Amino acid sequence: MSSTPAVINFWFEFASPYSMISALRLFYALTNKQAPHAAQIQNMPSCHVPELKNIRIIYRPVFLGGVFKAVGQQSIPNMAVPIKAHYLFHDVQRSLNVFGCPGFPGTRPALWPRNTVLAGRMAWMLSQGPEYIQVLDSGRRPPAALQSTQLEWAHTKTLAEFVWRVYESEFIANEDIGSEEVMGRLWDAFVARPGQLNEYQLPDGQRAVSLAGEDAVKEGFKASTQMAVEQGVFGAPTFTTEDGDLYWGNDRMLEALSHHRVRDKIGQNAGFCARASNANL
């Protein structure tokens, strides 16, 4: 068996409650944390913490408003039908409670969805790696190419925690992640804190918020959203594979992570991304 890690792209949006569950599961997997109720969730596809041996997770934040516009989605999925909206929050609350993470609202919050653009840009900036941020912080324009496939394991773990903490702030602490103060505080606590990538001397939260407003970051985050559309992404969370297949939804994470092991059995049904990009949606 090849020792080259299988690459799985994790497309997420901070307004998406189901993306929050996926972010929590990957955070625990990447940081080798033991889930509070590990034994009980072992056989639950929506909660199980996956094993990431020989798998590289690429975090790819997107702005779902741009995705929905591109694919012709006129409203937030599940929100047009009241009972579906009620079920969505009940379902996510149930999964997080079983996982051992209480506090998620059981009904739709009055201010949901919040403005997630700043959070998305900061997550995208962090996904490009510490060297990218250093170049940006120096006043130079960093390369336009998306570099997130090159992140070292330690950097991915920092990114995974930051992403999870943003969700935690938004949905459990009921904070406004569109606030510069909130996002700067989260960056200080989980990216720039002592022990996190110290050798790179990353900027503090206030500066990181400022950098997220640079044209290079705005363009990069927009390009990430466009890339998602080109890959056939139509919602979040979504997982795409190296050979161009797509798995939509938190409950399909384990199948996505196993894709490289069963690729030969999927046959010509694989490759959804390529077919979607040529479907003239």
Side-chain angles (χ1 to χ4, degrees), residues 115-146:
N115 186 328
T116 62
V117 173
L118 175 59
R121 288 174 180 168
M122 292 180 73
W124 181 87
M125 182 172 67
L126 186 57
S127 78
Q128 302 310 291
E131 293 89 352
Y132 179 96
I133 299 171
Q134 285 182 318
V135 171
L136 195 65
D137 191 29
S138 72
R140 293 173 289 155
R141 186 177 178 88
L146 301 178

Side-chain angles (χ1 to χ4, degrees), residues 3-4 26 34 48 53 55 67 71 100 103 112 129 136 171 178 204 211 242 251 258 268:
S3 60
T4 303
L26 290 174
Q34 179 77 13
H48 176 67
K53 182 179 180 180
I55 295 173
V67 172
V71 303
W112 182 87
L136 195 65
F171 286 108
D204 64 15
L211 293 176
E242 292 175 281
D251 58 345
S258 300
Q268 59 184 322

Side-chain angles (χ1 to χ4, degrees), residues 48-232:
H48 176 67
V49 176
E51 182 178 331
L52 299 180
K53 182 179 180 180
N54 214 33
I55 295 173
R56 181 185 292 274
I57 301 293
I58 310 299
Y59 276 67
R60 297 200 183 276
V62 299
F63 177 55
L64 272 185
V67 172
F68 291 161
K69 181 178 180 180
V71 303
Q73 176 75 47
Q74 301 300 317
S75 61
I76 302 175
N78 297 321
M79 291 299 107
V81 180
I83 191 63
K84 286 186 175 181
H86 181 73
Y87 177 78
L88 183 155
F89 283 90
H90 166 76
D91 188 37
V92 174
Q93 181 191 60
R94 177 173 57 192
S95 293
L96 290 172
N97 284 349
V98 170
F99 190 95
C101 181
F104 186 87
T107 57
R108 178 180 178 176
L111 298 178
W112 182 87
R114 294 184 183 273
N115 186 328
T116 62
V117 173
L118 175 59
R121 288 174 180 168
M122 292 180 73
W124 181 87
M125 182 172 67
L126 186 57
S127 78
Q128 302 310 291
E131 293 89 352
Y132 179 96
I133 299 171
Q134 285 182 318
V135 171
L136 195 65
D137 191 29
S138 72
R140 293 173 289 155
R141 186 177 178 88
L146 301 178
Q147 302 173 6
S148 52
T149 55
Q150 307 302 318
L151 284 188
E152 295 181 6
W153 191 257
H155 305 161
T156 301
K157 290 195 294 184
T158 297
L159 174 59
E161 178 162 21
F162 178 71
V163 167
W164 162 245
R165 299 302 181 184
V166 173
Y167 279 114
E168 185 180 49
S169 169
E170 177 187 13
F171 286 108
I172 295 179
N174 194 30
E175 295 183 308
D176 179 9
I177 61 169
S179 160
E180 294 182 358
E181 186 277 327
V182 169
M183 291 306 302
R185 172 165 46 81
L186 291 171
W187 183 279
D188 281 336
F190 302 108
V191 178
R193 73 174 186 236
Q196 293 292 103
L197 309 179
N198 283 348
E199 68 272 26
Y200 292 97
Q201 297 182 340
L202 295 181
D204 64 15
Q206 184 177 8
R207 177 62 174 160
V209 166
S210 176
L211 293 176
E214 293 287 332
D215 287 344
V217 177
K218 291 179 180 179
E219 293 164 9
F221 183 48
K222 184 177 180 179
S224 181
T225 299
Q226 181 59 37
M227 182 188 297
V229 173
E230 292 170 357
Q231 290 286 303

